[in-house]
Amino acid sequence: MSQRIAVVGSSNVDLIMKMDRLPKVGESVSDAEFRQTFGGKGANQAYAAALAGGEVTFVSCVGDDSYGAQVIENMRGCGANVEHVYTEPGVATGTALIMIGEAGRNYISVAPGANYKLLPAHVARAGAAIDAADMLVLQYEVPVATVTAAAERASALGKSVMLNLAPPRPITDALLRHVTYFVVNETEAAFACGIEVNSDANVRRAADALRAKGAANVIITLGEQGAFAAGADGAAYAPSFKVEAIDSTAAGDTFCGAFAVGLLEGRAPMDAARFANAAAALSVTRIGAQISIPTRAEIDTFMRARERP
Ligand code: RIB
């Protein structure tokens, strides 16, 4: 089966401060290390899918500032089709301020800029590319109307639709009914169904509740606990890989991109989640979003080494 993936979502420039520990409110922490890199949940997922082996078309909006051209050039570098990355006049490219502290924990603040200019009209302009894809991948960092228009379009054609509810914002059951794979972390799951994901029983209850709302399959990512995948064929945990985490930025995005490729390669959700866990584990051993995402060769080598009896 081909692995054509259309990703509709955000693009950011990430301004990263890496420090020994995160500051408290009102406190200054000096001696940080600064890096300017490329991020945005949509762009990260497109990048991860392309590096994992997918044939990716990315649909996004950047500003007409110098960052916009850099974002497009960088995305082209991973092999994604950038024909539908639109440059909006008079607006800044999305920007994220990221502070990374102890054990890879982070604070992220995003100025959406051009990301909020990605509208249903752009989905229509990119329609042929979305229609030609085997799977549509979405996040929640662009207007909900845009996410909805893309999901409705792909599901009307019987395509698989993956939606990652990041950042968490309200979602209707009507939109969830178009979603084949709903990927959420603990916080996003609790936000979407009102059940705190703090025990095995509650992980299962949350997944059931989200499936009852309309999502065909629910995948709850649980950091070091791996991922829980629930669908019509049953539910199971995909264990994580132990690594020394230095930055968790884009771990969820790496998971989503690799998960999409794993599914399109014909793996069952639980196996695709294991593959995606490997990609995410590698990403947290490096600083940054797209610069931390592993290639397919790296994922395969890592899995072989970790799964050797
Ligand atoms: O998920 C990580 C991403 O969130 C960062 O790359 C940042 O741009 C924000 O969108």
Side-chain angles (χ1 to χ4, degrees), residues 29-186:
V29 170
S30 51
D31 297 330
E33 189 191 317
F34 174 74
R35 290 195 198 176
Q36 181 198 310
T37 61
F38 298 99
K41 295 182 193 304
N44 296 343
Q45 294 185 17
Y47 207 92
L51 289 195
E55 197 183 314
V56 175
T57 292
F58 185 42
V59 182
S60 192
C61 264
V62 296
D64 60 353
D65 50 13
S66 62
Y67 284 156
Q70 291 174 37
V71 163
I72 293 174
E73 203 41 47
N74 179 67
M75 186 54 63
R76 196 175 274 129
C78 74
N81 174 355
V82 293
E83 197 184 326
H84 298 289
V85 180
Y86 303 105
T87 302
E88 278 297 309
V91 64
T93 297
T95 308
L97 285 180
I98 302 180
M99 284 198 268
I100 307 167
E102 59 282 13
R105 279 191 275 271
N106 59 34
Y107 292 141
I108 302 184
S109 167
V110 177
N115 292 315
Y116 279 8
K117 299 282 182 189
L118 186 71
L119 300 175
H122 293 109
V123 170
R125 274 171 75 184
I130 294 170
D131 296 353
D134 304 298
M135 184 182 286
L136 172 69
V137 174
L138 301 161
Q139 323 70 36
Y140 240 31
E141 217 171 32
V142 295
V144 175
T146 308
V147 172
T148 305
E152 285 175 353
R153 182 173 188 123
S155 87
L157 292 173
K159 313 272 176 186
S160 290
V161 175
M162 180 185 299
L163 172 60
N164 174 216
L165 195 74
R169 283 188 284 156
I171 182 164
T172 62
D173 294 1
L175 174 52
L176 271 176
R177 283 194 283 275
H178 295 294
V179 175
T180 327
Y181 300 99
F182 188 49
V183 183
V184 282
N185 64 20
E186 299 100 315

